[in-house]
Amino acid sequence: DQCEKTGCVGDECSQHCNFTSGGIPVDGPWYLQEPLYLRWKQWDCLSDCRYHCMLAREKERKKVGLKPVKYHGKWPFQRVNGIQEPVSVALSALNLAMQFHGWVSFFIFVNYKLPFMPNRKPFYEYTGLWHIYAIFAMNSWFWSVVFHSRDVDLTEKLDYSSAVALLGFSLILAVLRVFSVTDEAARVMVSAPLVAFVTTHILYLNCYQLDYGLNMKVCLGMGILQLILWAVWAGVTRHPSRWKLWVVVIGGALAALLEIYDFPPYRGFVDAHALWHATTIPLTYLWWNFVRDDSEFRTTTLIKKAK
């Protein structure tokens, strides 16, 4: 309340906090309100005051030797130009770029370097599924960038929903590839229950309750299940690039521990979640390498059978 009245917490002052929550100026001229081109950050007076009060409280706790604590469910991150978690934003953007690069390289490889069937369709039966996977992956990382830039109710729900959708489709893709499901009717029968489950969970998060604990269990469950499927398949198959799959599976499992083991951000910037974003960058590159190798392997196998 004092911050909202004066615009200051200690030595830190926010000029747009010279306005009350109702938009009525307390002191000073009207132009002290934040300009329109900066309001996209949605740092209103209340949230800005919470931020500066949080930093002031953490300085006091540090002086007496206490460890950082979470405020409103979030660690005390240092903002940079209004960006709430700058390191996570940068790493999410790199993941987005890596997914785009992997998808483009796969698209070029399948369409310009591999032979086609007489009907001008690719031999690789999972081409369309990988294109859909790329869309889900890029969408998820895009909203991750937005969410870590500014955590509000809308960006949080979009980030969580996109991540659940990506994990759900990844699980469907794992089942279809591991069990070599190529018939369209069979694919629909296998996918329908999983699509229904994922859709119901997303609706629950958005329309009923954003249950963080439940969502973590669902995401971990879908993630672990697909890692097990890929791991077993890599162990029993003679796929020439199975070592890449092993690295991705083991690396993904170790990276998931960062989501479970949470710790305060180092110097207010790097926390466990940011490190998880960092580990997924090389894994994504290797993952799309495996996808390209798989398309070549299946194409070669089908051509040999046709002869």
Side-chain angles (χ1 to χ4, degrees):
D1 292 339
Q2 185 62 30
C3 172
E4 190 171 354
K5 290 178 182 178
T6 65
C8 297
V9 177
D11 297 329
E12 297 290 338
C13 296
S14 301
Q15 63 179 23
H16 60 286
C17 279
N18 285 312
F19 279 65
T20 66
S21 57
I24 303 172
V26 177
D27 292 307
W30 62 270
Y31 56 78
L32 287 179
Q33 190 175 21
E34 196 171 50
L36 284 172
Y37 70 89
L38 289 178
R39 293 185 199 173
W40 66 271
K41 295 177 297 185
Q42 294 190 29
W43 287 108
D44 58 13
C45 187
L46 179 59
S47 59
D48 216 32
C49 285
R50 283 177 175 175
Y51 171 75
H52 291 300
C53 287
M54 175 188 71
L55 294 185
R57 177 64 61 84
E58 280 303 306
K59 287 181 181 178
E60 295 173 359
R61 291 176 58 83
K62 189 175 181 180
K63 287 180 181 178
V64 296
L66 296 176
K67 294 181 179 180
V69 295
K70 289 186 176 182
Y71 297 82
H72 306 285
K74 301 283 288 186
W75 287 115
F77 287 96
Q78 291 279 352
R79 282 181 352 201
V80 176
N81 293 325
I83 298 176
Q84 196 164 338
E85 299 174 40
V87 174
S88 290
V89 168
L91 293 173
S92 295
L94 284 174
N95 273 285
L96 173 59
M98 193 60 68
Q99 289 286 354
F100 180 74
H101 173 270
W103 171 61
V104 170
S105 63
F106 170 72
F107 180 87
I108 292 173
F109 188 77
V110 170
N111 288 280
Y112 297 99
K113 296 185 179 181
L114 293 180
F116 282 84
M117 292 189 292
N119 60 1
R120 297 302 299 166
K121 289 184 178 181
F123 280 94
Y124 189 50
E125 316 97 316
Y126 305 94
T127 301
L129 292 175
W130 284 115
H131 289 327
I132 298 173
Y133 167 83
I135 293 172
F136 275 108
M138 289 186 288
N139 175 71
S140 179
W141 285 114
F142 171 79
W143 288 115
S144 177
V145 171
V146 174
F147 169 66
H148 290 298
S149 297
R150 181 68 175 98
D151 176 8
V152 295
D153 185 59
L154 177 62
T155 58
E156 184 178 44
K157 288 182 177 180
L158 286 169
D159 176 58
Y160 278 58
S161 300
S162 299
V164 171
L166 173 59
L167 281 170
F169 188 80
S170 299
L171 178 57
I172 291 172
L173 185 51
V175 172
L176 297 180
R177 180 64 188 96
V178 166
F179 294 101
S180 300
V181 182
T182 57
D183 182 71
E184 291 298 328
R187 285 183 175 184
V188 172
M189 291 179 64
V190 171
S191 304
L194 292 173
V195 170
F197 171 76
V198 171
T199 302
T200 302
H201 181 63
I202 291 174
L203 289 173
Y204 178 85
L205 294 178
N206 286 273
C207 302
Y208 183 68
Q209 180 184 0
L210 190 57
D211 191 323
Y212 300 100
L214 174 64
N215 186 62
M216 178 64 75
K217 292 176 183 177
V218 170
C219 290
L220 281 176
M222 291 193 294
I224 292 172
L225 180 56
Q226 58 189 282
L227 286 178
I228 292 173
L229 286 172
W230 286 117
V232 173
W233 185 72
V236 300
T237 186
R238 294 183 177 274
H239 201 289
S241 296
R242 57 186 177 274
W243 70 269
K244 295 180 181 180
L245 194 54
W246 275 113
V247 173
V248 172
V249 167
I250 295 172
L254 293 175
L257 296 177
L258 291 170
E259 287 290 275
I260 300 173
Y261 176 67
D262 196 13
F263 57 82
Y266 177 71
R267 294 186 179 275
F269 292 105
V270 182
D271 67 334
H273 191 70
L275 290 180
W276 175 74
H277 285 335
T279 60
T280 54
I281 295 172
L283 292 178
T284 298
Y285 178 80
L286 195 60
W287 179 242
W288 279 107
N289 264 272
F290 165 76
V291 175
R292 290 197 301 273
D293 292 346
D294 187 48
S295 64
E296 184 177 19
F297 172 68
R298 283 296 300 163
T299 299
T300 304
T301 302
L302 292 172
I303 290 175
K304 287 180 179 179
K305 286 182 178 180
K307 292 180 178 178

